[in-house]
Amino acid sequence: MASPMPHSAHDPVSGTPSWVDVSTRDLDASKEFYAELFGWEYETERHPAIGDYTFAMLDGQPVAGLHALPNRISDFPAWNLYLRMRRIETASARVRRLGGKVHYGPLDIEGHGSLVALDDPSGARVGLWQPTRPWRFVTRRPGTFGWADLNTHLAHRADSFFATLFAFTPRQVGDGKRFNYTTWWLQGKPYLGRLAMGSDYPAEVPPHWMIYFNVSPRVGTDVTADRALMLDGAIEVDPFDSPYGRTAVLRDPGGATFSVIDPSRRAIVRYYDERFDD
């Protein structure tokens, strides 16, 4: 689900998306895939705390990260979300007090900032990030981050945890029953979403964050999905219309799942039939 309103990834408010990266078993294959799909180029740095880390660049601006498994945030191939956190030195205690699990941190990444990795009470992994210098994260453009939503079987736990940790205000988008989706707002803007996985999701599907990347209207979601398939990726969910844009769920050659969206292709979609309301 994509944001109903563009937001700034440079916003320093706690809780705003501040970075995304992908964990992969085949770094070279992942780099080639995203270079062809989004036009990314790469710069690699070595850090004592995390080893080699690759920054994806678009027109010379940082848009995402890539690193090889094993790593400090994921135990399997996945796209990872990092949320801005002020006073990260107190974050671990707050997370535990609210029922979350801290895996590690704060971990200092020399020259960049500090990181805490946690599972929320519904079981989804997410990172907290406090930069130590002005942090560049380009969004809103084709080939860059557009939105993220938490997919979970324990929706109310997630809503309560993040609303308390970051002062989010949840707003229901669906009917709350057949389609239970909320957007999380800060200071009058939506920054994230939360989808309650219903009976159509097998119980063994773990809670996870879905990362969305914008695609150019000139290319479109359907062509992008076909291109991913030709680049040895996979189409997990065929392109479909949504109120926020035409969307598809893809998988890269390393096994990490993500979504692409064309926000210019918005559609009126009915998620439930009012005749069957209680």
Side-chain angles (χ1 to χ4, degrees):
M1 190 66 61
S3 171
M5 181 185 301
H7 62 267
S8 171
H10 300 283
D11 194 326
V13 176
S14 288
T16 55
S18 61
W19 192 242
V20 291
D21 64 19
V22 65
S23 312
T24 177
R25 292 193 178 95
D26 190 335
L27 183 59
D28 290 337
S30 294
K31 289 168 65 175
E32 182 177 355
F33 174 81
Y34 290 106
E36 294 290 337
L37 194 67
F38 294 141
W40 291 353
E41 298 178 334
Y42 303 104
E43 297 179 2
T44 299
E45 296 182 0
R46 173 170 286 276
H47 296 277
I50 60 173
D52 287 345
Y53 190 89
T54 299
F55 288 88
M57 315 293 287
L58 193 61
D59 297 329
Q61 299 295 317
V63 297
L66 303 89
H67 51 163
L69 286 167
N71 61 70
R72 302 301 299 264
I73 185 74
S74 293
D75 302 319
F76 49 86
W79 272 98
N80 310 299
L81 174 68
Y82 300 82
L83 303 177
R84 178 67 66 96
M85 171 61 77
R86 293 180 176 176
R87 300 186 62 187
I88 200 167
E89 68 276 3
T90 64
S92 295
R94 291 180 61 197
V95 166
R96 294 187 181 99
R97 188 166 60 249
L98 294 171
K101 178 182 178 181
V102 175
H103 285 273
Y104 63 84
L107 176 68
D108 291 330
I109 311 299
E110 184 178 356
H112 292 289
S114 296
L115 168 68
V116 169
L118 65 96
D119 286 353
D120 70 47
S122 77
R125 184 72 51 86
V126 70
L128 306 180
W129 177 246
Q130 182 178 17
T132 53
R133 64 183 187 184
W135 183 249
R136 296 184 300 156
F137 177 36
V138 174
T139 64
R140 303 187 190 179
R141 300 172 46 194
T144 71
F145 173 83
W147 184 249
D149 53 34
L150 172 60
N151 294 236
T152 176
H153 296 284
L154 302 174
H156 294 300
R157 285 193 190 180
D159 285 345
S160 176
F161 174 81
F162 285 100
T164 304
L165 186 64
F166 294 122
F168 285 131
T169 300
R171 296 189 183 182
Q172 182 64 235
V173 174
D175 67 333
K177 297 178 182 178
R178 295 169 182 84
F179 180 64
N180 186 343
Y181 190 95
T182 65
T183 51
W184 294 344
W185 292 60
L186 282 171
Q187 300 181 356
K189 296 180 181 180
Y191 283 96
L192 297 163
R194 186 274 298 148
L195 172 68
M197 292 191 289
S199 57
D200 52 331
Y201 287 83
E204 61 269 19
V205 175
H208 60 278
W209 282 92
M210 177 61 71
I211 306 300
Y212 295 73
F213 292 96
N214 291 333
V215 298
S216 168
R218 295 192 303 272
V219 177
T221 297
D222 296 69
V223 172
T224 301
D226 289 341
R227 184 178 295 172
L229 200 59
M230 291 186 292
L231 294 170
D232 294 329
I235 302 174
E236 293 286 308
V237 178
D238 288 330
F240 62 93
D241 294 322
S242 84
Y244 308 104
R246 189 156 175 81
T247 306
V249 182
L250 309 178
R251 188 177 72 244
D252 70 22
T257 301
F258 63 101
S259 291
V260 292
I261 187 164
D262 175 1
S264 73
R265 291 277 306 275
R266 301 189 179 199
I268 298 174
V269 179
R270 293 174 64 85
Y271 290 105
Y272 68 99
D273 192 332
E274 294 177 352
R275 295 174 299 172
F276 296 99
D277 277 352
D278 296 332

